[in-house]
Amino acid sequence: MASQNNKTISAVETTLDILAALEKREPVGLSDLASHLDIPTSTVFIHLNTLVQRDYVVKESGQYRRSFRFLELGGSVRQRLDIGRLLRNKVEELSRETGEIAGAGIEENGQRVILYRSSGGKAAGDEIPIGNHTEMHWTSLGKVILAHLPVEKRNEIVADHGLPKGTDNTLSSRSDLEAALKRVRDQGYAIDDEEHLRGVRGVAVPIFNDEQEVMVSLGITGPRDRFTSRYMANLLEILRYTKNEIEVRSQYYEYSTIDG
């Protein structure tokens, strides 16, 4: 018996075969396409007609070709790759400039995940690897995202994960958490005051898309003794400058994708 992972939908496979054939032969007529694929003309017509109705294929003078909708889809993938590359580069720049540990995080399944991380010359503190998942309310990277999520999403995360303590400084009541997240929204940044690991502090800012939805967070962490209020204020200015640059350039990627 075939495993569940090997099961496919034959109709979807046929659609993909048709699109692959269009790539090589477009513009092409119905009969020629059906003959090339060795599929009944009536079957090819149904698939093509569906694609035409959904604006993925254009029919002109009896000939079929793929629409520019695929440029939009491919462009969105390229945009994600471009933004990811930009974000990684900026994390590395931050670590070189500050000498500290810089990182970028994202929310996945209600937890903070480290996307990129880079250690500078004087870095000291945690050894958290890329891909690490942890509670959103424990870290500055997580809190700054949590603060800007829709209320329903925030409630869902807290309901699913609770508010476990990482250290004695961790926010462990809903009222304290909501008050802290309001401060994050008002200030535009979040601080981790040994809430995840003892002896480690951090500061993070949110990165928004052009619809003012939080995409990722960007932050710097280091040892408590060096991360005084004044020192963290200086780091925050650097983070804000980098945040602005990423947001502006991410919009450029979007518009340049649309322009081709």
Side-chain angles (χ1 to χ4, degrees), residues 51-75:
L51 290 166
V52 168
Q53 294 299 318
R54 296 298 296 270
D55 296 327
Y56 286 98
V57 167
V58 174
K59 181 182 181 182
E60 295 174 333
S61 303
Q63 301 282 299
Y64 294 89
R65 65 168 175 82
R66 294 166 302 160
S67 78
F68 287 108
R69 188 73 178 271
F70 286 99
L71 180 61
E72 179 183 359
L73 295 176

Side-chain angles (χ1 to χ4, degrees), residues 169-236:
N169 287 1
T170 305
L171 297 166
S172 57
S173 76
R174 187 62 188 269
S175 59
D176 287 345
L177 176 66
E178 288 300 332
L181 296 182
K182 183 179 185 302
R183 287 195 298 274
V184 170
R185 289 190 293 273
D186 291 343
Q187 297 170 163
Y189 64 92
I191 287 177
D192 168 8
D193 188 9
E194 299 184 80
E195 296 162 61
H196 182 204
L197 298 170
R198 290 185 180 89
V200 177
R201 303 187 78 195
V203 57
V205 295
I207 307 295
F208 295 106
N209 61 21
D210 60 348
E211 296 178 353
Q212 288 304 295
E213 298 168 333
V214 63
M215 296 187 296
V216 296
S217 54
L218 188 68
I220 301 173
T221 61
R224 173 192 58 202
D225 293 343
R226 185 158 67 240
F227 273 53
T228 63
S229 296
R230 177 175 294 182
Y231 185 66
M232 292 176 73
N234 292 333
L235 295 177
L236 179 59

Side-chain angles (χ1 to χ4, degrees), residues 91-103 117-125 220-221 226:
V91 166
E92 293 174 353
E93 283 181 18
L94 280 172
S95 67
R96 287 196 300 269
E97 181 177 357
T98 65
E100 305 291 356
I101 297 172
R117 198 168 186 275
S118 181
S119 296
K122 60 182 181 181
I220 301 173
T221 61
R226 185 158 67 240

Side-chain angles (χ1 to χ4, degrees), residues 1-257:
M1 181 179 293
S3 70
Q4 189 71 22
N5 290 337
N6 291 331
K7 291 183 177 179
T8 61
I9 299 174
S10 59
V12 175
E13 289 187 335
T14 300
T15 297
L16 294 175
D17 288 341
I18 290 171
L19 289 171
L22 282 175
E23 179 185 3
K24 295 179 174 63
R25 305 176 70 86
E26 64 187 9
V28 63
L30 175 60
S31 298
D32 289 344
L33 187 59
S35 176
H36 171 74
L37 291 166
D38 195 21
I39 296 174
T41 303
S42 59
T43 300
V44 175
F45 173 77
I46 292 172
H47 285 266
L48 283 173
N49 194 52
T50 302
L51 290 166
V52 168
Q53 294 299 318
R54 296 298 296 270
D55 296 327
Y56 286 98
V57 167
V58 174
K59 181 182 181 182
E60 295 174 333
S61 303
Q63 301 282 299
Y64 294 89
R65 65 168 175 82
R66 294 166 302 160
S67 78
F68 287 108
R69 188 73 178 271
F70 286 99
L71 180 61
E72 179 183 359
L73 295 176
S76 68
V77 174
R78 191 188 75 180
Q79 182 189 0
R80 289 178 60 186
L81 293 174
D82 287 342
I83 292 172
R85 190 178 301 112
L86 169 64
L87 190 61
R88 181 189 62 202
N89 291 341
K90 288 302 174 185
V91 166
E92 293 174 353
E93 283 181 18
L94 280 172
S95 67
R96 287 196 300 269
E97 181 177 357
T98 65
E100 305 291 356
I101 297 172
I106 195 170
E107 181 271 329
E108 182 179 69
N109 296 325
Q111 292 192 305
R112 184 276 285 133
V113 183
I114 297 293
L115 282 179
Y116 301 105
R117 198 168 186 275
S118 181
S119 296
K122 60 182 181 181
D126 60 84
E127 295 295 331
I128 297 172
I130 293 173
N132 173 262
H133 289 60
T134 197
E135 306 299 335
M136 296 286 286
H137 67 292
W138 281 4
T139 69
S140 54
L141 286 175
K143 282 194 293 184
V144 81
I145 294 176
L146 190 61
H148 291 92
L149 291 176
V151 175
E152 297 79 8
K153 177 67 173 177
R154 195 159 65 241
N155 290 339
E156 179 184 323
I157 289 173
V158 175
D160 289 346
H161 294 270
L163 295 173
K165 293 177 71 70
T167 71
D168 291 339
N169 287 1
T170 305
L171 297 166
S172 57
S173 76
R174 187 62 188 269
S175 59
D176 287 345
L177 176 66
E178 288 300 332
L181 296 182
K182 183 179 185 302
R183 287 195 298 274
V184 170
R185 289 190 293 273
D186 291 343
Q187 297 170 163
Y189 64 92
I191 287 177
D192 168 8
D193 188 9
E194 299 184 80
E195 296 162 61
H196 182 204
L197 298 170
R198 290 185 180 89
V200 177
R201 303 187 78 195
V203 57
V205 295
I207 307 295
F208 295 106
N209 61 21
D210 60 348
E211 296 178 353
Q212 288 304 295
E213 298 168 333
V214 63
M215 296 187 296
V216 296
S217 54
L218 188 68
I220 301 173
T221 61
R224 173 192 58 202
D225 293 343
R226 185 158 67 240
F227 273 53
T228 63
S229 296
R230 177 175 294 182
Y231 185 66
M232 292 176 73
N234 292 333
L235 295 177
L236 179 59
E237 289 306 307
I238 296 172
L239 282 171
R240 282 173 165 160
Y241 179 86
T242 306
K243 159 191 166 70
N244 182 66
E245 185 177 0
I246 292 172
E247 288 176 344
V248 169
R249 291 183 64 180
S250 69
Q251 291 184 44
Y252 163 77
Y253 285 135
E254 177 178 351
Y255 294 127
S256 65
T257 296

